[in-house]
């Protein structure tokens, strides 16, 4: 039987950690859909056309080592505005969402476009300043040379692009449960998400 948990929200709100924890807790498969856009972005940086890159995407491309860099994040955000790229990635995401045993998908448009019929929809958010600080700590821990101001500017620019694009803009589904993690530590945020899923899972 399928059971889909859709987790959407802006970058660095805690979606990834929450999604992995929910998947573990309820024994569901997990897909970080941002990786699909990042893998397409990485291929575009290597010179491929966006549509061609999206149509040719293979599971192995999601394992590339450079997908977490800011350059690839920026490229991902640019290819994500293209309807032909989004369309090429839709079937894979829908099939994953409906796999037997259930799945958690995290992204920007899972509850609104990919899986409007998901059994649980969460919209995980936090203030731009809190998200930029978290991203700054992650990037510096990974050895990347970035400044706080630079990371905040990137977060705001990506939010703007993700929310204002006409193809599947970032917004909560009407029936999503909104979880603002600005004032929550990760344990509290995970506990709130797990409680929401448990209430639907029965
Ligand atoms: O979540 P992330 O930072 O890995 O996402 C990278 C980019 O891909 C981000 O700018 C938004 C875009 N994206 C999207 O448009 N739709 C999704 N379902 C997931 C990510």
């Amino acid at each position: 039987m399928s059971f889909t948990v859709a987790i959407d929200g802006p970058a660095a709100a805690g979606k990834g950690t929450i999604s992995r924890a929910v998947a573990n807790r309820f024994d569901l498969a997990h897909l970080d859909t941002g990786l699909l856009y990042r893998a397409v972005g990485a291929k575009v940086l290597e010179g491929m056309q966006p549509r061609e890159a999206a149509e040719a995407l293979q599971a192995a491309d999601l394992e590339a080592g450079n997908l977490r860099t800011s350059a690839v994040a920026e490229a991902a955000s640019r290819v994500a505005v293209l309807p032909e790229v989004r369309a090429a990635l839709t079937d894979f995401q829908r099939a994953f969402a409906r796999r037997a045993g259930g799945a958690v998908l995290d992204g920007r448009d899972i509850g609104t476009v990919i899986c409007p019929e998901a059994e649980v929809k969460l919209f995980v958010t936090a203030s731009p300043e809190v998200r930029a600080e978290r991203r700054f700590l992650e990037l510096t821990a990974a050895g990347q040379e970035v400044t706080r101001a630079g990371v905040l500017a990137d977060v705001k620019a990506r939010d703007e692009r993700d929310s204002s694009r006409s193809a599947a803009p970032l917004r909560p589904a009407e029936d999503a449960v909104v979880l603002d993690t600005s004032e929550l530590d990760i344990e509290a945020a995970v506990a709130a998400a797990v409680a929401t899923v448990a209430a639907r899972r029965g």
Side-chain angles (χ1 to χ4, degrees):
M1 220 192 60
S2 72
F3 178 82
T4 310
V5 181
I7 304 190
D8 292 305
K15 274 191 325 261
T17 310
I18 289 173
S19 302
R20 283 188 295 276
V22 165
N24 259 330
R25 170 72 175 68
F26 297 96
D27 202 18
L28 304 167
H30 172 226
L31 178 65
D32 169 0
T33 64
L35 279 184
L36 303 174
Y37 293 91
R38 285 171 184 261
V40 173
K43 288 188 176 289
V44 168
L45 290 178
E46 289 164 9
M48 254 174 121
Q49 291 304 313
R51 177 203 287 261
E52 193 192 333
E55 287 173 352
L57 205 68
Q58 309 266 317
D61 298 326
L62 307 183
E63 316 281 328
N66 64 342
L67 300 185
R68 294 285 165 206
T69 63
S70 335
V72 169
E74 172 71 21
S77 174
R78 290 181 185 281
V79 299
V81 305
L82 304 171
E84 65 273 24
V85 166
R86 307 197 71 85
L89 301 177
T90 299
D91 287 351
F92 177 78
Q93 295 176 82
R94 289 197 175 140
F96 193 97
R98 282 297 164 205
R99 69 200 286 161
V104 180
L105 282 81
D106 71 277
R108 302 293 191 288
D109 64 338
I110 309 303
T112 49
V113 174
I114 299 296
C115 244
E117 73 293 349
E119 281 73 14
V120 185
K121 296 180 191 175
L122 277 170
F123 191 84
V124 181
T125 189
S127 71
E129 289 72 19
V130 166
R131 290 186 289 116
E133 181 63 19
R134 290 177 187 160
R135 191 41 57 93
F136 173 78
L137 295 174
E138 267 172 36
L139 292 172
T140 47
Q144 295 191 40
E145 290 196 12
V146 288
T147 62
R148 283 195 160 77
V151 175
L152 179 59
D154 283 354
V155 162
K156 288 185 169 168
R158 279 219 285 152
D159 282 1
E160 173 60 24
R161 200 176 302 125
D162 293 344
S163 313
S164 62
R165 68 181 180 222
S166 52
L170 173 66
R171 61 174 176 81
E174 272 174 23
D175 52 350
V177 173
V178 177
L179 180 59
D180 186 329
T181 68
S182 303
E183 310 268 317
L184 299 179
D185 63 20
I186 195 63
E187 287 79 16
V190 165
V194 164
T196 305
V197 177
R200 307 284 204 293
R201 180 95 163 144

